[in-house]
Amino acid sequence: MLPCTERFQAHRHNPAAGECAPRDHPQGTRPSLLVLDTNVILHDCGCLDRFGDNDLAIPITVLEELDRFKKGSEDINFQAREFLRRLDSLTGDMLSEHGAPIGAGDATVRVVLGGPLSRELQASFLEDAPDHRILDAALRLRRGEPQRPVVLVTKDTNLRLKAKALGLPTRDYSVDQIDSFYTGKRVVEDVPTAIVEAFYTDNGIVPAGTVVVVSDPRPNENFILRNGSRSVLATYRSNERVFVRVGKLTASGITARNAEQAFALAALMNDDIPLVTLGGKAGSGKTLLALAAALESRTRSRHVLLTRPVVPLGNRDLGYLPGDLSAKLDPYMQPLYDNLAAIHQRLDDGKAAKQIGQLLESRKLEIAPLAFIRGRSLQGVYFIVDEAQNLTPHEVKTIITRAAEGTKIVLTGDIQQIDHPWLDARSNGLSYLINRMVGQPIYAHITLEKGERSPLAELACELL
């Protein structure tokens, strides 16, 4: 039987984690037959192993489309090549109904040949497009195997709507099923006065056993503990099993304006937390805080590296741009320069402000495209990845595995502002990373909730 949700969760054979796992089918029933669209493969080249004991079908049109993507250095090119290699390594008759076995389970994969569009689709659509051929292949399979469910798995919303209009079951695909988003912060009301006062003595460090009002704290989780008009900000340190008070922090002239920003600066400047993610809406200070903390920590880091995915607003490419590599990237990297200018203005010390320009000239502060990260080993680097919501899970993995000794990686992004055509709030790399890393002692996350850019920007976020 099919999962009851509208999204297929990629499983890793871990039933204890609530993920998809092979199932025993009642006598006389067969597992579902899932028809994969090209975008599923380009999103996750390991998708063949993610559907339990359901059988898979690959329309020949999908292989034709993958052939166009296999050359290049971008992530989708890598995904296409890896999938084709995996498919080629399988042995068996892929053109028969039995297909080729996938791994040690009962699942199989086969390639489905096509032909002219059926009369039903010719009457429904104006053109013979690859999407329509994939849809036609799924409909042919359903007519040929009426004894079991046939489902089209695609990340293309429009194709899902077309399939539903023709009565064909369809599902989205993501590497992880994310039901709720971890914010990194909890508010606890009616905290006993003695507990609040304890944070203002003994250097603001309170044993976990004393803070009885907090249940099951996660490593580096942040808390706002309130008692009437009094409150205290605290972060849980799992290694020492203590809560540490978070004060009003300043980095490179930038001072935290609210509780979430204070939590963010505390994590960004903590050398014991090498991986930090910051989420939040536009204007909440994600990039500015990360840059300020990086500049504040530059004496402890050999190098500060700033980068962001080259994805134009609305996915509208600017076309050919004149000049060298730096000139071509300037339109995409300008938000980083804007935040550096804001820090420059906040620094009262003229000498300190001048150092930013010197760092850029000496390349100790480098703004570079994300495409050149593959293969590098980053040692002693404070590495900031802006707009990380436009990355795929595989790209995020590639970035984090570049970290060598002494490197700190910070990813910032707003999962509600995604410009990548095949990603959404649940399937993007930033959400995937947060979902996987929660609970690890070397990781911290905080969602910034309040916009601090300007009253106009805050109003636009709320009303538009």
Side-chain angles (χ1 to χ4, degrees), residues 38 58-66 112 114 129-131 133-134 137:
T38 312
I58 312 294
I60 194 70
T61 304
V62 170
L63 296 184
E64 292 177 342
E65 290 195 299
L66 289 176
V112 181
D131 281 356
R133 288 183 170 269
I134 294 171

Side-chain angles (χ1 to χ4, degrees), residues 27 63 83 105 159 163 187 259-260 273 275 295 344 412 455:
Q27 187 173 4
L63 296 184
F83 178 83
L159 184 55
V187 179
E260 291 80 14
I273 307 177
L275 179 61
L295 294 174
H344 189 281
T412 71

Side-chain angles (χ1 to χ4, degrees), residues 2-3 6 8 31-42 47-48 51 53-63 65-66 83 97 102 108-114 121 130-145 148-156 159-160 163 168-173:
L2 293 174
E6 287 294 321
F8 271 114
S32 301
L33 178 59
L34 311 181
V35 182
L36 303 188
D37 191 6
T38 312
N39 48 50
V40 172
I41 296 166
L42 295 178
C47 60
L48 287 180
F51 294 102
D53 58 351
N54 294 306
D55 295 329
L56 307 179
I58 312 294
I60 194 70
T61 304
V62 170
L63 296 184
E65 290 195 299
L66 289 176
F83 178 83
E97 179 184 347
I102 304 173
T108 63
V109 60
R110 60 172 127 156
V111 175
V112 181
L113 299 179
L121 266 67
D131 281 356
H132 299 157
R133 288 183 170 269
I134 294 171
L135 182 55
D136 188 53
L139 292 171
R140 290 174 186 268
L141 288 169
R142 187 176 66 170
R143 289 193 296 268
E145 301 186 38
R148 64 168 167 171
V150 175
V151 181
L152 175 63
V153 183
T154 176
K155 297 190 66 60
D156 187 335
L159 184 55
R160 290 202 299 271
L168 179 68
T170 180
R171 297 292 185 270
D172 193 1
Y173 175 86

